[in-house]
Amino acid sequence: MRRRSAILLMASTLLATAAWGAPPPGVDARADALVRQMTQDEKVALVSSDMPALMRSRPADAVISAGYTPGVPRLGLPSLRSTDASLGVSNIMNMRRNDVATALPSSLSLASSWDPAGARAAGAMIGAEARAKRMNVMLAGGVNLIREPRNGRNFEYPSEDPLLAGVLVGEQVAGVQSNGIISTIKHFALNAQETGRNFVDVKIDEPSARESDLLAFQIALEHGRPGSVMTAYNKVNGQYASENGWLLNDVLKRDWAFPGYVMSDWGNVHSTVPAALNGLDQQSGKTIDKAPFFAAPLAQAVAAGEVPQARLDDMARRIVRSAIAAGLLDRPDDVAQPIDFEAHARIAQAAAEAGIVLLKNEGGVLPIAATARRIVVIGGHADIGILSGGGSSQVRPVGGPALELRPNTSSPAAMFSRVTYTPSAPLAALRARFPAAEISFDDGNDPARAAALARDAEIAIVFAEEWRTEGEDRPSLALPGNADALIAAVAAANPRTVVVLETGGAVTMPWLDQVPAVVEAWYPGQRGGEAIAAILSGATAPSGRLPITFPRNETQLARPTIDGTAEVQAAAERLRGRSSYGLLTDVAPFAADYRIDGANVGYKWFAVKNETPLFPFGYGLTYTRFGYDALSVRSGRSPTARVRVTNRGRVAGVAVPQFYATVRVRGQAVPRLVGWQRVALEPGESRTVSITIDPRLLAVYDPAQPGWRIEEGRVPLVVGEHAGDAQATAELDVAARRLKP
Ligand code: BGC
């Protein structure tokens, strides 16, 4: 039986190579030849990694970072040195003393640009810095759908929409890999919450999974061709993602023909034989797993015939193949190089500016007039720097952190996270933009004092921050601390109050009606302060659009309370004073039922429930307005749509026309983003933009077929400025059609 499954796997690898597209010439033959020359010990050594910081004797070529796997020098295979790299080359807990890197804006910010070219440039920059630091495997490409708006890691993920997420992450991964190194995409799959992430069993039906979270991965794989896919911590339908045969063997390797290797997340391997047979190729960071499952135990399992030799060969071959395909064997990569941090900071600033979203602007409060003389800046540590998210993605920014605070929490976040500020103070940047103005600062700790200062100013700018971290979710969507009270007090004192949000996701805004202007800056990275000042002053026109829905409150969500909250709290209570929460082991099993929302993640949920959000997906203002006309569609195997966009205002601006189709999905009419363009227009300028629609976005997934099925009919299509908007409408004629998974 086991032998049969190994043979099937081998066959699927061959098939994979055919369907994945032409690899660089000779990659497969070279991989085969190399693996043939490897000894059994070398193969076993290749299928796991250690954490260099915890290794008793560290090899000379190891870099202190997330993972290290020895190479095979006699065969030209270098060691694999992996680092986190979602938002720049990370350096958590300052493991490599004072080793800094360019801090990019959060993934939400990057996605707010709706700009694939920008995502590619950001990825290329991360990859270049990593390579210069002697790393060759990037743990980048977080493409989990933002299904839970309170997820602590949403700042590491791009969107709630599979097309937007998949395209942007795919481009970013392609940018990373353009440096001749490997990138992952992660965390496969359905890792939508941090609460009890190692214990939660996600329940979902196959069509819903294929049309939502899995589709984001599928599109990212097609765009980015990452060498590796990292598994998720959670279970999916009863089986850990790291040993889930359906996810790894059936979906990823068979249906999607993925030729690279599957690595585990750190500390989420639970077995040797099931994990190996169900598709895991490498045990990452085995140092922190319960056992070195893929070291001696794997060698023994192969010797005993429990894991076929062919499967071990396949594991090794997949790793070797990705190394060859990325170019690891052809470019010496073990020599540290200088980094042009100035040039990279400019890339980070351009990304931050493109990602800032103007949510409200009444009475022309923004941009701030060049004639402004008295401005008060309040709160958010705006005198010091800008906020970043915590966890394994934490970059030690160039210049060193401006401030590091211990988080006010008893969760795992406390173990490895610090509330870290990047040294790019908005206050200094605003002073540079408005040299003739007197700009005072109040820390916002006392709302009455801040309000008194705001009363005499021409304009008050309140910075509100919301820190998120890997390891825990937000308890609610409310801004933490006194932020809501502070904003309300300042707004009551000064009608020209601008709120600048530095958040890791959607937040509620009970004061929204009281303030004329709101700007979502996310965590804007290395030059975030300068980027915010550029937008507020109008030097750069705001061009970001929300890649997620902002709900009015938690009752609008599919799960008003995050599943597992009670179970995790109970386990933490039992351990109080004895051990840290991060080592929780006895959380009672619990499930997160994703059959409730199914494929209707984000704006789709709001549409089918007829709920009005606070701000819809795709929303964002600028300092001009646009007109749309001449929408036309062409049906066919690859349907297209085009529309003319005109800048009808007096200043230049960036339009992001979005096309949504309404598809009948299991009895419901569901809107789906099917394409968009980002287009810069001078006043009065018109341009026609066109999109080609991926037929899967007009289809439903049918497991019986198996594959995608398009029903014959007329599909309504709108072009709008966000998911709740229709500037022009048309209908697509679609013919019945079936597509492979
Ligand atoms: C995270 C991964 C990360 C890994 C290595 C884990 O905690 O979930 O995203 O790549 O650590 O640092």
Side-chain angles (χ1 to χ4, degrees):
M1 185 60 206
R2 282 200 177 121
R3 264 181 217 297
R4 228 187 103 230
S5 74
I7 290 165
L8 279 176
L9 248 176
M10 298 285 291
S12 79
T13 308
L14 290 177
L15 227 141
T17 319
W20 183 254
V27 166
D28 288 293
R30 230 174 130 187
D32 288 338
L34 202 148
V35 172
R36 260 197 305 274
Q37 296 173 66
M38 288 175 79
T39 66
Q40 189 77 339
D41 287 350
E42 286 166 347
K43 289 175 194 166
V44 173
L46 192 60
V47 298
S48 63
S49 73
D50 277 298
M51 296 181 70
L54 305 178
M55 286 169 89
R56 254 186 242 125
S57 63
R58 200 164 35 243
D61 63 343
V63 181
I64 299 184
S65 61
Y68 171 81
T69 299
V72 187
R74 67 184 181 90
L75 300 176
L77 183 67
S79 58
L80 301 177
R81 303 177 291 275
S82 65
T83 176
D84 280 291
S86 296
L87 316 171
V89 179
S90 77
N91 181 8
I92 52 167
M93 299 195 303
N94 199 13
M95 281 193 297
R96 296 184 306 280
R97 262 199 96 59
N98 299 331
D99 183 29
V100 297
T102 305
L104 276 172
S106 67
S107 295
L108 272 174
S109 164
L110 208 67
S112 296
S113 71
W114 295 56
D115 182 8
R120 189 177 276 249
M125 191 217 83
I126 301 176
E129 292 199 2
R131 200 168 210 291
K133 292 173 185 290
R134 300 167 55 228
M135 328 270 196
N136 54 20
V137 179
M138 300 300 96
L139 312 175
V143 69
N144 294 99
L145 273 204
I146 297 186
R147 193 181 265 278
E148 170 47 69
R150 292 155 293 191
N151 181 356
R153 276 187 109 167
N154 282 350
F155 69 93
E156 285 189 68
Y157 301 136
S159 178
E160 64 191 26
D161 180 80
L163 180 66
L164 185 61
V167 168
L168 293 179
V169 167
E171 291 298 322
Q172 190 183 24
V173 161
V176 169
Q177 293 198 151
S178 67
N179 292 283
I181 54 181
I182 294 172
S183 177
T184 63
I185 56 172
K186 65 187 186 183
H187 311 85
F188 192 60
L190 293 143
N191 180 181
Q193 66 178 61
E194 290 297 286
T195 301
R197 66 180 181 180
N198 308 79
F199 307 95
V200 56
D201 184 6
V202 168
K203 303 288 187 195
I204 193 162
D205 58 283
E206 180 164 8
S208 295
R210 294 269 195 174
E211 292 163 16
S212 59
D213 300 63
L214 297 186
L215 184 56
F217 275 92
Q218 191 173 10
I219 294 172
L221 281 162
E222 291 161 356
H223 275 257
R225 295 172 182 257
S228 184
V229 169
M230 187 194 292
T231 60
Y233 281 113
N234 47 286
K235 293 178 181 169
V236 176
N237 293 328
Q239 262 186 320
Y240 282 112
S242 60
E243 52 184 54
N244 192 307
W246 172 66
L247 276 179
L248 306 182
N249 282 343
D250 299 352
V251 175
L252 180 65
K253 292 181 178 175
R254 184 194 63 202
D255 294 346
W256 298 349
F258 175 60
Y261 66 104
V262 176
M263 67 163 78
S264 69
D265 201 342
W266 271 240
N268 90 324
V269 182
H270 302 272
S271 66
T272 299
V273 177
L277 295 184
N278 287 326
L280 185 69
D281 299 308
Q282 195 181 56
Q283 178 185 11
S284 305
K286 68 170 183 282
T287 337
I288 57 167
D289 271 313
K290 276 189 218 89
F293 296 106
F294 275 22
L298 180 62
Q300 284 151 18
V302 174
E306 292 170 324
V307 171
Q309 179 67 40
R311 174 64 186 121
L312 175 61
D313 291 350
D314 178 49
M315 293 157 83
R317 185 189 181 283
R318 284 173 172 276
I319 298 168
V320 166
R321 187 194 185 283
S322 289
I324 295 170
L328 253 56
L329 279 69
D330 303 320
R331 286 168 67 172
D333 67 352
D334 200 20
V335 185
Q337 303 285 339
I339 296 173
D340 186 348
F341 284 126
E342 232 349 89
H344 289 183
R346 286 195 292 276
I347 296 175
Q349 182 169 341
E353 289 180 13
I356 291 175
V357 186
L358 179 61
L359 291 175
K360 184 173 180 184
N361 190 22
E362 277 177 7
V365 171
L366 292 177
I368 298 170
T371 49
R373 288 295 171 268
R374 270 172 301 114
I375 302 174
V376 54
V377 173
I378 297 165
H381 297 90
D383 58 330
I384 290 174
I386 56 109
L387 189 59
S388 59
S392 57
S393 67
Q394 181 77 63
V395 172
R396 194 166 182 83
V398 175
L403 178 68
E404 280 183 296
L405 303 171
R406 269 183 188 280
N408 178 18
T409 163
S410 59
S411 78
M415 294 175 55
F416 59 92
S417 292
R418 292 289 174 272
V419 184
T420 303
Y421 290 83
T422 304
S424 172
L427 181 62
L430 283 164
R431 284 182 174 147
R433 286 271 172 206
F434 297 95
E438 181 204 316
I439 306 187
S440 47
F441 179 75
D442 183 281
D443 65 16
N445 288 335
D446 177 352
R449 189 188 60 206
L453 194 66
R455 196 159 291 127
D456 299 329
E458 284 161 56
I459 193 155
I461 310 171
V462 186
F463 283 79
E465 32 175 12
E466 185 228 34
W467 184 68
R468 296 198 187 198
T469 181
E470 179 180 345
E472 69 176 13
D473 295 320
R474 295 284 313 140
S476 78
L477 290 171
L479 283 167
N482 74 351
D484 285 338
L486 174 67
I487 295 167
V490 173
N494 188 324
R496 292 169 68 79
T497 292
V498 178
V499 176
V500 178
L501 298 165
E502 289 175 23
T503 71
V507 291
T508 50
M509 305 179 199
W511 34 259
L512 186 59
D513 291 343
Q514 296 151 47
V515 301
V518 182
V519 172
E520 175 58 87
W522 312 110
Y523 302 150
Q526 192 70 54
R527 287 266 176 92
E530 286 82 355
I532 291 169
I535 297 286
L536 295 183
S537 67
T540 301
S543 64
R545 305 292 191 278
L546 292 181
I548 51 172
T549 305
F550 274 45
R552 286 184 184 279
N553 56 54
E554 291 79 2
T555 64
Q556 291 189 309
L557 304 179
R559 281 162 293 280
T561 308
I562 299 179
D563 293 306
T565 305
E567 287 83 351
V568 167
Q569 267 165 13
E573 206 49 51
R574 283 194 293 278
L575 285 180
R576 190 181 290 281
R578 283 201 288 132
S579 169
S580 71
Y581 169 104
L583 301 176
L584 274 190
T585 47
D586 63 344
V587 174
F590 68 95
D593 192 354
Y594 293 173
R595 291 165 301 200
I596 298 171
D597 38 348
N600 294 335
V601 179
Y603 64 90
K604 295 170 180 141
W605 173 258
F606 278 75
V608 300
K609 290 290 164 190
N610 216 359
E611 290 276 349
T612 308
L614 189 62
F615 290 107
F617 173 83
Y619 186 81
L621 305 170
T622 183
Y623 296 146
T624 184
R625 62 204 160 75
F626 304 100
Y628 304 82
D629 70 331
L631 171 65
S632 66
V633 294
R634 216 189 53 216
S635 303
R637 287 184 80 74
S638 295
T640 58
R642 43 201 284 147
V643 71
R644 188 168 51 208
V645 192
T646 305
N647 181 347
R648 297 228 172 106
R650 284 196 299 267
V651 293
V654 173
V656 184
Q658 301 154 37
F659 297 79
Y660 296 88
T662 300
V663 180
R664 281 215 79 76
V665 184
R666 296 176 284 284
Q668 282 178 323
V670 180
R672 289 178 176 171
L673 178 73
V674 294
W676 75 90
Q677 286 276 321
R678 184 183 157 95
V679 52
L681 295 169
E682 293 299 321
E685 188 184 358
S686 289
R687 276 212 220 162
T688 296
V689 300
S690 63
I691 59 151
T692 301
I693 300 173
D694 183 329
R696 290 171 295 194
L697 298 169
L698 304 174
V700 291
Y701 192 85
D702 179 0
Q705 189 177 308
W708 302 93
R709 187 162 42 75
I710 302 181
E711 303 289 4
E712 185 188 321
R714 315 204 80 185
V715 174
L717 187 98
V718 303
V719 64
E721 297 194 325
H722 55 78
D725 184 39
Q727 297 283 338
T729 61
E731 271 189 344
L732 266 177
D733 274 322
V734 289
R737 192 170 156 199
R738 290 170 178 224
L739 301 156
K740 66 181 186 51

